[in-house]
Amino acid sequence: GAIATEIGLMRKLTELSIDGNNLSGVIPSELSSLSSLVALQLSNNRLHGTLPSSMGQLTFLEVLELGRNSLSGNLPTALTNLQRLDRVNFERNYLTGTIATGNYSFRSFDVSYNQLSGDIAPLILNSLPQIQVLSIAVNRLKGTLPTEIGICSNLRVLLLQSNRFSGTIPSEIGLLQSLKTLNVNDNNSIRGTIPSELGLLRSLVSMDFSLNELSGKIPSELGLLAQSLNTLNFNNNAFTALPSELGLLRKLVSLDATKNILSGSIHSDFGSMEQLEILSLGFNRLMGPIPTGLGLLAFLKELHLGFNDLTGEIPSELGNLQYLKKLLLTS
């Protein structure tokens, strides 16, 4: 059913959490009468319509979660008036328009899987330095990634994938010492090289640059992330070389560099990535033999080396890979 308009009479209500209750209809404007409300959580329902601009009257609001509904229209500019608002989630709706300029105080902002457009610079420039989670993936956002992002010193999660960003990856991202997840995949027009400064991200767990126009050598400095890095994805770019220093990544579980223009040989040091489960280097220009050291990757489940220019015999040491499920060596 719908949210009753009479809910606006509950003036002392501080928290309203009715996630996942199959609610339908629109969000009643009467909610703006709940002047003491601190948390409004209506995610995982079937709510539709636009977001009431009167939400800007909820001056005590700290948590606003409306994700996974069918909401449409623009993000209300009145949200910039809510100086206590700390956590915002509008993921997986049908929101359109731009992200308004304003003085944001968010620590977590998730508008992924919508149809938002325009530039992200206003959001970045007005959310410093407190923001910790920024998820704007799968929208229609464009422009370059602002260098000022380096001032977001508390940022832990940065999800920018599947938009229309262009330009280069700012080296200032290397200043984000708390960053754990960095995903810039499928932006198509991001080009240039990966900044060596990303080797300073000692807390980083996952890095995904796939489906862009990046080129050059993958920086050897990424080998410095041995204490944290779990996932590396470079596929569908124009990278020319993988550094041997990636062999230092003892906690790495997945390395995907398929569909680049990598040349040279496969480094024997890759046999030192003792936690590796997926090694995918297919569709490149790699030459020489398959290193026998790959037989030391005791947890390997997928090995894709096909469509390269490899020579020699298949090492018998690969027979030690008792967890291997996929072996792709197609010429």
Side-chain angles (χ1 to χ4, degrees), residues 2-213:
I3 301 173
T5 57
E6 289 82 2
I7 200 167
L9 301 173
M10 305 171 71
R11 301 296 174 84
K12 294 187 178 181
L13 198 67
T14 59
E15 182 174 349
L16 178 59
S17 179
I18 40 180
D19 295 343
N21 277 280
N22 208 28
L23 295 171
S24 58
V26 300
I27 297 174
S29 59
E30 285 81 2
L31 280 176
S32 62
S33 299
L34 304 178
S35 56
S36 299
L37 203 62
V38 173
L40 176 60
Q41 296 164 304
L42 305 176
S43 296
N44 292 293
N45 285 292
R46 294 188 292 123
L47 299 170
H48 60 83
T50 59
L51 299 169
S53 59
S54 57
M55 279 187 170
Q57 300 174 29
L58 301 174
T59 55
F60 287 95
L61 200 63
E62 297 176 9
V63 177
L64 177 59
E65 296 183 344
L66 304 175
R68 297 175 185 268
N69 282 288
S70 297
L71 300 169
S72 58
N74 295 338
L75 287 171
T77 56
L79 293 181
T80 61
N81 300 328
L82 304 180
Q83 294 301 303
R84 300 188 184 203
L85 199 56
D86 181 74
R87 191 166 80 238
V88 175
N89 188 332
F90 293 125
E91 65 160 334
R92 296 182 187 274
N93 281 286
Y94 300 98
L95 299 175
T96 55
T98 60
I99 299 173
T101 301
N103 294 315
Y104 300 104
S105 58
F106 310 144
R107 283 194 297 176
S108 177
F109 184 70
D110 187 349
V111 290
S112 57
Y113 294 88
N114 280 283
Q115 299 167 19
L116 297 170
S117 57
D119 200 332
I120 64 164
L123 175 65
I124 296 291
L125 297 178
N126 292 285
S127 298
L128 310 175
Q130 63 271 21
I131 196 159
Q132 296 178 6
V133 176
L134 178 58
S135 179
I136 52 178
V138 196
N139 280 285
R140 300 171 183 173
L141 298 162
K142 61 183 181 179
T144 58
L145 304 180
T147 58
E148 289 84 359
I149 199 167
I151 309 175
C152 299
S153 55
N154 293 310
L155 199 59
R156 294 185 289 107
V157 176
L158 180 58
L159 303 179
L160 307 175
Q161 69 267 29
S162 299
N163 279 287
R164 299 172 182 175
F165 297 124
S166 57
T168 59
I169 297 170
S171 60
E172 287 80 2
I173 289 181
L175 299 173
L176 305 176
Q177 294 296 298
S178 299
L179 196 64
K180 293 180 179 293
T181 303
L182 173 61
N183 194 332
V184 195
N185 85 22
D186 192 19
N187 278 288
N188 301 124
S189 296
I190 289 184
R191 54 179 57 90
T193 59
I194 294 178
S196 60
E197 287 84 356
L198 268 58
L200 300 172
L201 300 174
R202 304 301 171 83
S203 299
L204 199 66
V205 174
S206 176
M207 178 188 295
D208 191 342
F209 290 117
S210 60
L211 294 160
N212 285 292
E213 295 181 0

Side-chain angles (χ1 to χ4, degrees), residues 188-299:
N188 301 124
S189 296
I190 289 184
R191 54 179 57 90
T193 59
I194 294 178
S196 60
E197 287 84 356
L198 268 58
L200 300 172
L201 300 174
R202 304 301 171 83
S203 299
L204 199 66
V205 174
S206 176
M207 178 188 295
D208 191 342
F209 290 117
S210 60
L211 294 160
N212 285 292
E213 295 181 0
L214 294 163
S215 58
K217 297 180 178 180
I218 292 168
S220 59
E221 287 82 0
L222 297 185
L224 299 173
L225 307 180
Q227 298 303 312
S228 60
L229 202 58
N230 174 280
T231 303
L232 270 177
N233 194 342
F234 303 119
N235 77 53
N236 283 274
N237 281 283
F239 292 117
T240 57
L242 285 173
S244 60
E245 286 82 0
L246 294 185
L248 299 172
L249 301 174
R250 304 297 171 85
K251 294 187 177 181
L252 198 68
V253 172
S254 177
L255 172 59
D256 186 352
T258 54
K259 296 185 179 180
N260 282 277
I261 50 174
L262 300 173
S263 59
S265 59
I266 300 172
H267 299 295
S268 59
D269 295 352
F270 287 3
S272 299
M273 296 186 283
E274 54 195 31
Q275 300 297 319
L276 203 64
E277 296 181 7
I278 298 172
L279 177 59
S280 192
L281 305 177
F283 294 94
N284 282 289
R285 301 174 184 175
L286 296 168
M287 301 179 294
I290 298 173
T292 58
L294 297 186
L296 299 173
L297 300 174
F299 296 102

